[in-house]
Amino acid sequence: MSEEKKSGRGAVLASLLLSNYSIYPGAILTSILLVEMADTFDASVGAVSQIKTLSSVFAFVTAVAMGALSVRYSPERLLAAGLALLCLSCLGSGAAPSLWLLFTFYSLNGAAANVVFPTLTSLVGEHCPPETRARVMGWIGASGGLSYM
């Protein structure tokens, strides 16, 4: 295998690891900051904790839609769209002036996660030879776990 091809795979792997890592911090921070969010928006902790439920509903709907989307669009486009959706979710959630806008933007986080992760696995299959796929998927799983540290 040529050196150029190997370095290209290294760059792909690095971008996939970072993409997977980027999915988790929003959920982690929401768990940590739940009480502060409730105080900020003058709402009960129980009401604000429903933000995760709403995100899960959007994640489920997106997971169903990914079947059709993955046939129609390339994995690279889907990954870019998922990461753009994640950025919109993070920026909108951080700047949300009301609880309803926070719920709206944060729900996009669940949708983005369900666009990014399946696309990552398809890109691994596309860019990695069969003998290295298991190791690459292990690295991708570890990158998600690292976001919890």
Side-chain angles (χ1 to χ4, degrees), residues 53-114:
T53 304
L54 187 61
S55 179
S56 296
V57 169
F58 271 73
F60 175 76
V61 171
T62 307
V64 172
M66 275 302 289
L69 292 172
S70 64
V71 171
R72 185 170 179 129
Y73 299 104
S74 71
E76 292 83 5
R77 280 188 160 183
L78 286 172
L79 183 61
L83 292 173
L85 195 60
L86 185 64
C87 288
L88 177 65
S89 172
C90 292
L91 292 173
S93 295
S98 71
L99 185 60
W100 294 111
L101 279 173
L102 176 65
F103 272 38
T104 301
F105 281 112
Y106 187 81
S107 64
L108 297 176
N109 193 34
N114 269 4

Side-chain angles (χ1 to χ4, degrees), residues 8-25:
R9 283 204 180 122
V12 168
L13 177 59
S15 68
L16 294 179
L17 292 173
L18 287 173
S19 297
N20 190 47
Y21 181 84
S22 69
I23 296 172
Y24 299 101

Side-chain angles (χ1 to χ4, degrees), residues 25-35 37 48 51-52 106 109:
I28 295 166
L29 288 174
T30 302
S31 299
I32 295 170
L33 299 173
L34 196 59
V35 173
M37 289 165 43
V48 175
I51 196 168
K52 293 237 182 188
Y106 187 81
N109 193 34

Side-chain angles (χ1 to χ4, degrees), residues 116-140:
V116 171
F117 191 74
T119 305
L120 290 175
T121 57
S122 68
L123 285 168
V124 167
E126 192 174 301
H127 290 281
C128 297
E131 59 273 3
T132 63
R133 287 182 191 153
R135 184 179 50 209
V136 170
M137 287 306 297
W139 279 104
I140 287 175

